[in-house]
Amino acid sequence: MTVTEAATERLIRIGEVARGAGVSVRAVRYYEQQGLLVAERSPSGQRLYRQDAIARIRFFQQMYAAGLTSRRITELLPCWDSGHTDAEQRAMLRAERDRIQAKVDELQAALNRLDEVIAITDTHP
Amino acid sequence: MTVTEAATERLIRIGEVARGAGVSVRAVRYYEQQGLLVAERSPSGQRLYRQDAIARIRFFQQMYAAGLTSRRITELLPCWDSGHTDAEQRAMLRAERDRIQAKVDELQAALNRLDEVIAITDTHP
DNA sequence: CTAAAACCTGACGCTGACGTCAGAGGCAAG
DNA sequence: CTTGCCTCTGACGTCAGCGTCAGGTTTTAG
């Protein structure tokens, strides 16, 4: 890909982004409002996104699913975009990691209790 | 333990239950309101609980942590209390189990992405 | 007996990631 | 041209598990 091609990369509108990422149009606007996603604007004011916006939104969804807030994600986005962190960010990364790991353990425990009941009630129809 | 002792089991008030289970008094009242927890009443109207109420609440917390709603828990409580289930309950048990398992997988994926960044940024201080 | 601590019943508030509705403009096709 | 779909900006609604405040009764400690 040449520099010229990169400069003329095809931009897509919000509907295509939303469908591509499997979220609602409302959600995409919300991400922008939270400072997660920046969009260019067409002369008439419509949002225009680059292709990688879809991957970014998928990443947001993954972090949301892991229990991170929009605020936390904005604070940690530079770690992904620049590959560099300061001490505060490293502390946040560790804290989130530990919280998620604890959550996994909780879920596993709950899973075991459900499986016990399933096993018992399946043998006693 | 004799039958007479069982009949005169020491009942505890809501504050002791809450402290024992590590939740707020408000939370315990909420569980009753949702139909999760029944309490006797003293002549003056105060709630009186048996000791096992604490274990029940710990169980509720575990299910909440696993993403079950109060409604779902009430629907599945008979499975624990009676050890018996009908077809609908078995379907719910399986659905919840699968949902939790999927959630675990999501969290593991997020965990891996965080660990990648932690590993990279720790080697690039 | 009295003061503090604990309990009661409403009932409104909070949080976060959106859903949803209103009213208005933009854009390719027939 | 106009039909129909897409997009825009507010702004209020939702849900669930409580937090919190108000105003009053009850139990306990000294």
Side-chain angles (χ1 to χ4, degrees):
Chain A
M1 181 189 282
T2 70
V3 172
T4 303
E5 280 167 356
T8 60
E9 183 189 5
R10 190 174 84 88
L11 297 178
I12 56 186
R13 293 191 300 171
I14 196 169
E16 191 172 343
V17 171
R19 275 192 307 276
V23 302
S24 68
V25 168
R26 174 68 174 92
V28 180
R29 294 202 191 100
Y30 175 75
Y31 303 150
E32 177 173 329
Q33 187 182 335
Q34 299 302 303
L36 291 173
L37 202 56
V38 195
E40 294 179 44
R41 295 297 183 123
S42 77
S44 65
Q46 298 198 346
R47 292 172 179 83
L48 296 177
Y49 299 89
R50 287 176 301 168
Q51 310 286 335
D52 64 349
I54 292 176
R56 283 179 75 88
I57 290 176
R58 288 221 171 90
F59 173 69
F60 297 156
Q61 289 291 112
Q62 190 173 25
M63 294 299 110
Y64 281 140
L68 279 79
T69 63
S70 297
R71 177 161 182 69
R72 208 39 122 213
I73 300 175
T74 58
E75 289 167 343
L76 293 177
L77 261 186
C79 305
W80 269 269
D81 291 344
S82 77
H84 184 267
T85 58
D86 59 23
E88 191 182 6
Q89 287 170 333
R90 276 191 291 274
M92 289 194 299
L93 283 168
R94 294 255 172 71
E96 293 297 340
R97 204 212 86 95
D98 293 348
R99 191 186 51 70
I100 296 172
Q101 182 62 63
K103 189 78 185 175
V104 168
D105 295 344
E106 276 183 351
L107 292 186
Q108 287 288 3
L111 209 49
N112 290 337
R113 296 203 68 158
L114 285 182
D115 280 342
E116 282 177 36
V117 181
I118 290 173
I120 292 173
T121 59
D122 277 1
T123 58
H124 293 285
Chain B
M1 181 186 283
T2 70
V3 172
T4 303
E5 280 168 356
T8 60
E9 183 190 4
R10 189 173 82 88
L11 298 177
I12 56 186
R13 295 191 299 170
I14 196 170
E16 191 171 344
V17 172
R19 275 191 308 277
V23 302
S24 69
V25 167
R26 175 69 174 91
V28 180
R29 295 202 191 99
Y30 176 74
Y31 302 150
E32 177 174 330
Q33 187 182 334
Q34 298 303 303
L36 290 173
L37 202 56
V38 195
E40 295 178 44
R41 294 299 183 121
S42 77
S44 66
Q46 297 201 347
R47 292 172 179 84
L48 296 176
Y49 299 88
R50 287 175 301 168
Q51 310 286 335
D52 64 348
I54 292 176
R56 282 178 79 88
I57 290 176
R58 288 221 170 90
F59 173 69
F60 297 156
Q61 288 292 111
Q62 191 174 25
M63 293 301 109
Y64 281 139
L68 278 79
T69 63
S70 298
R71 177 160 183 69
R72 207 38 118 217
I73 299 175
T74 59
E75 290 168 342
L76 294 177
L77 261 186
C79 305
W80 270 268
D81 291 344
S82 76
H84 185 269
T85 58
D86 59 23
E88 190 183 7
Q89 287 170 334
R90 277 191 290 275
M92 288 194 299
L93 283 167
R94 293 256 171 69
E96 293 297 340
R97 203 211 87 95
D98 293 349
R99 192 187 49 71
I100 296 172
Q101 182 63 60
K103 190 77 184 178
V104 168
D105 294 344
E106 276 184 352
L107 292 186
Q108 287 288 2
L111 209 49
N112 290 337
R113 297 203 68 160
L114 285 182
D115 281 342
E116 280 177 36
V117 181
I118 290 174
I120 294 172
T121 59
D122 277 0
T123 58
H124 293 287

